[in-house]
Amino acid sequence: SSRSQAARCLSSASAGSSEREYDLVLFGATGFSGKLCAEYLMRAHGDEKLRVALAGRDRAKLEAVAASLPGKATPRVVVADAMSPDDMRRLAASTEVVASTAGPFRKFGSELVGACAAEGASYADITGEATWVAHMAHAHDATAKASGAALVPAAGFDSVPSDIGTLLAIREHEKTYGEAPERVDAYVTAMRGAAFRAAPSTRWTTSCGTRRRPPRAGPSRARVPRSTGAAARRFQTRS
């Protein structure tokens, strides 16, 4: 599946056999989510021979974050502007994988996604901006396939309950009916907990998206014809 293929591409950075300067660059490392990612990355993998760099616009802030992280190793620092195509191309060309927490992604992510697709660097982010994701897929799908880049948006945001919920639904379906379902549709009917920590511009972009309808990305979703008698079953999951 595309998810498992993306996971293999993203995990291949740990092999350490690349000619590129870094195995992984964390872009947006000085923000709230970026710092959490950097802390986890160095706590879980800081003792490994993983070549990591923190990237963003402000060198002083990046160096402060790097110095505060756990683990024996201190990651390198790369200064790059998300609005600069040249900076994003240099960044993407220097690493096997880019993990981005710099949102709103409709404003700060487009150049980076295009650069990763062109340079063959795999990419993951935490966006929840579905309209922007559709535009990026339409714009860069063919380029990414040609370069071998795996582009994995929404890899740590509202995709998490959806993916885990789908897995639980498949397991329950297999347990009850002895076979996997042909299709799983996921819907969010209720949410609880604190509001996510994001800038007002990110919340506005996530809620409103863009005014234009995005181009269709990839093949259209097939609907299950009513005449086939296909059974639809509902499973409720909690996360």
Side-chain angles (χ1 to χ4, degrees), residues 124-160:
D125 65 36
I126 58 171
T127 187
E129 301 159 44
T131 305
W132 174 78
V133 170
H135 278 289
M136 291 297 99
H138 177 79
H140 303 298
D141 180 67
T143 304
K145 286 179 179 177
S147 70
L151 306 181
V152 191
F157 191 61
D158 42 7
S159 63
V160 172

Side-chain angles (χ1 to χ4, degrees), residues 31-112:
F32 176 78
S33 298
K35 289 179 182 177
L36 293 177
C37 290
E39 289 172 3
Y40 170 79
L41 178 64
M42 300 311 295
R43 183 172 62 251
H45 303 287
D47 294 335
E48 301 175 10
K49 294 181 180 180
L50 193 67
R51 300 168 299 168
V52 176
L54 307 182
R57 291 178 296 176
D58 192 312
R59 178 178 295 277
K61 290 182 179 180
L62 288 168
E63 290 176 347
V65 172
S68 70
L69 296 177
K72 297 178 181 179
T74 300
R76 300 273 296 278
V77 164
V78 176
V79 178
D81 187 343
M83 309 302 288
S84 168
D86 290 340
D87 282 3
M88 294 299 95
R89 286 293 291 263
R90 283 194 293 269
L91 178 67
S94 72
T95 183
E96 283 291 318
V97 177
V98 175
S100 179
T101 60
F105 289 86
R106 186 164 65 95
K107 181 177 181 180
F108 296 116
S110 298
E111 293 291 350
L112 180 54

Side-chain angles (χ1 to χ4, degrees), residues 156-199:
F157 191 61
D158 42 7
S159 63
V160 172
S162 300
D163 287 350
I164 295 176
T166 297
L167 176 62
L168 294 175
I170 291 172
R171 287 178 175 175
E172 183 65 23
H173 193 283
E174 291 174 335
K175 177 182 176 182
T176 304
Y177 302 103
E179 59 182 3
E182 295 182 0
R183 165 176 160 175
V184 176
D185 293 335
Y187 303 91
V188 177
T189 58
M191 296 181 68
R192 293 186 299 174
F196 68 93
R197 296 278 299 275

Side-chain angles (χ1 to χ4, degrees), residues 18 73 169 216:
S18 171
R216 186 177 296 278

